[in-house]
Amino acid sequence: MPTMNVIQAVNDALRTEMRRDANVVVLGEDVGRFGGVFRATQGLHDEFGADRVIDTPLAEGGIIGTAVGMALYGLRPVPEIQFADFIFPAMDQLVNEVAKYRYRSGGQYACPMVIRSPYGGGIRGGHYHSQSPEAHFIHTAGLKVVVPSNPYDAKGLLISAIRDPDPVLFFEPKRVYRAAKGEVPEGEYEIPLGQARVTREGSQITVIAWGAMWHEADQAVREAAEAGLDCELLDLRSLQPLDVDAIERSVRKTGRAVIVHEAPRTCGFGAELSALIQERCFLSLEAPITRVTGFDTPFPYTLEAEYLPRAPRILRALREVAAF
């Protein structure tokens, strides 16, 4: 079985689906001959041609608007927004058009597409290349939101997203694009959307993370184990639909929950997760639900390492929750 990093797994998933289904098309800034700014689409233009791997102007609203037309006429577009920070010019298309076609047409028209976009900090990108906007889209009914943390999940989830009948935001953790490596099966396989994965079983604290922050949480959980804390780690993988049953099962077992994400704290997805845990697990809780997140500031270029909820900060939270 070949070993891949996340960017190679994304490329392999796109190639697999484009070979299987002639309706799958890729479009975005520099995705053609250049192969994408991170090389996620490298080689696709040579194999599938300019009609299916389409370079676009620097116009995110136009990219998503074009994808809407493609989807309504039967294609399976996979538009790339070069950085998640650039997705905001396309918010009207995404929130008021893409998300609502199935509902406004009474189910007559679906709008299947996968909007791929690298997100998050950790590469010295500063204010405009480091944001984590997942909560905006989880809040928008009609959209699905997926965030893989490793190459195996990236390929299986992206294939599932492309085959899904509804629009999916597919946020890729660029901080671990090349750092996260693992075995990835050749050919096609799917990982169903809406299924979390318990990556480490434990009995004392449930730790919930996704994307690049799963790696920080994993490191913290390993260090906590050396100090005698037995934590269970969940990789959500899919934020909408959410595997809330997996969260409930784990928190009912451990009685404690720590949520980790790099987006700002206020109205981040951790707030929604905290509410769901409180609603479902109130009588099982033995300590306050704790969030370890980015801060309520624009993403800082010079204080990047301090802003991100890295393993030492997560480990402090685990110790405090355990000692409550």
Side-chain angles (χ1 to χ4, degrees):
M1 188 180 301
T3 297
M4 297 184 186
N5 59 34
V6 173
I7 204 76
Q8 290 168 331
V10 167
N11 181 277
D12 194 38
L14 292 171
R15 190 184 306 277
T16 299
E17 285 304 278
M18 293 183 78
R19 287 176 177 172
R20 184 189 66 85
D21 184 354
N23 287 323
V24 177
V25 297
V26 170
L27 67 157
E29 299 159 5
D30 296 325
V31 302
R33 292 188 182 279
F34 190 62
V37 69
F38 291 102
R39 301 297 188 268
T41 56
Q42 190 169 36
L44 300 183
H45 185 275
D46 291 340
E47 180 170 349
F48 301 103
D51 288 342
R52 295 183 63 195
V53 185
I54 304 165
D55 279 319
T56 69
L58 303 180
E60 287 75 13
I63 293 170
I64 301 302
T66 301
V68 169
M70 290 176 166
L72 294 179
Y73 275 88
L75 297 178
R76 291 275 175 164
V78 185
E80 177 185 298
I81 301 298
Q82 201 169 71
F83 289 86
D85 312 65
F86 304 163
I87 206 167
F88 300 110
M91 285 294 278
D92 182 53
Q93 291 288 347
L94 288 167
V95 174
N96 286 326
E97 306 298 341
V98 173
K100 294 180 172 56
Y101 263 103
R102 178 179 292 282
Y103 299 85
R104 67 187 287 193
S105 68
Q108 294 184 76
Y109 301 103
C111 193
M113 69 172 69
V114 180
I115 301 99
R116 292 185 40 253
S117 191
Y119 84 99
I123 63 163
R124 293 286 182 184
H127 298 71
Y128 301 109
H129 298 77
S130 304
Q131 297 176 79
S132 301
E134 66 271 17
H136 293 287
F137 303 101
I138 300 166
H139 184 68
T140 301
L143 299 178
K144 297 178 180 179
V145 180
V146 175
V147 189
S149 68
N150 61 76
Y152 178 86
D153 286 357
K155 181 177 177 180
L157 289 168
L158 182 53
I159 288 175
S160 294
I162 292 172
R163 297 178 184 182
D164 197 277
D166 291 306
V168 179
L169 275 293
F170 195 86
F171 288 118
E172 298 164 5
K174 61 179 180 288
R175 182 187 182 201
V176 295
Y177 253 163
R178 290 179 172 78
K181 298 178 181 177
E183 291 186 336
V184 177
E186 295 178 315
E188 59 183 88
Y189 65 92
E190 294 183 69
I191 297 175
L193 307 187
Q195 289 188 6
R197 186 166 71 99
V198 177
T199 60
R200 184 188 190 282
E201 293 191 358
S203 61
Q204 291 180 279
I205 304 174
T206 297
V207 182
I208 302 168
W210 56 90
M213 288 304 100
W214 176 87
H215 297 271
E216 294 292 335
D218 183 58
Q219 182 178 336
V221 163
R222 291 175 188 275
E223 293 177 12
E226 295 174 0
L229 278 178
D230 187 23
C231 299
E232 180 152 297
L233 179 57
L234 266 68
D235 184 351
L236 291 186
R237 307 197 291 193
S238 172
L239 308 184
Q240 182 61 268
L242 175 69
D243 191 352
V244 68
D245 291 337
I247 297 171
E248 180 178 350
R249 281 195 300 272
S250 181
V251 176
R252 284 189 181 278
K253 179 174 68 173
T254 65
R256 294 175 170 84
V258 172
I259 302 160
V260 182
H261 64 68
E262 63 180 284
R265 179 185 181 90
T266 300
C267 291
F269 192 48
E272 176 65 18
L273 293 173
S274 297
L276 288 169
I277 293 169
Q278 190 273 341
E279 290 168 358
R280 288 178 172 238
C281 308
F282 180 71
L283 295 179
S284 301
L285 289 173
E286 298 181 24
I289 303 161
T290 297
R291 290 173 288 166
V292 186
T293 70
F295 298 107
D296 289 340
T297 68
F299 194 97
Y301 174 73
T302 55
L303 296 174
E304 184 173 71
E306 286 71 24
Y307 177 93
L308 289 170
R310 299 174 67 202
R313 187 146 60 98
I314 300 169
L315 185 58
R316 284 200 300 275
L318 297 179
R319 287 172 172 156
E320 291 171 3
V321 168
F324 181 82

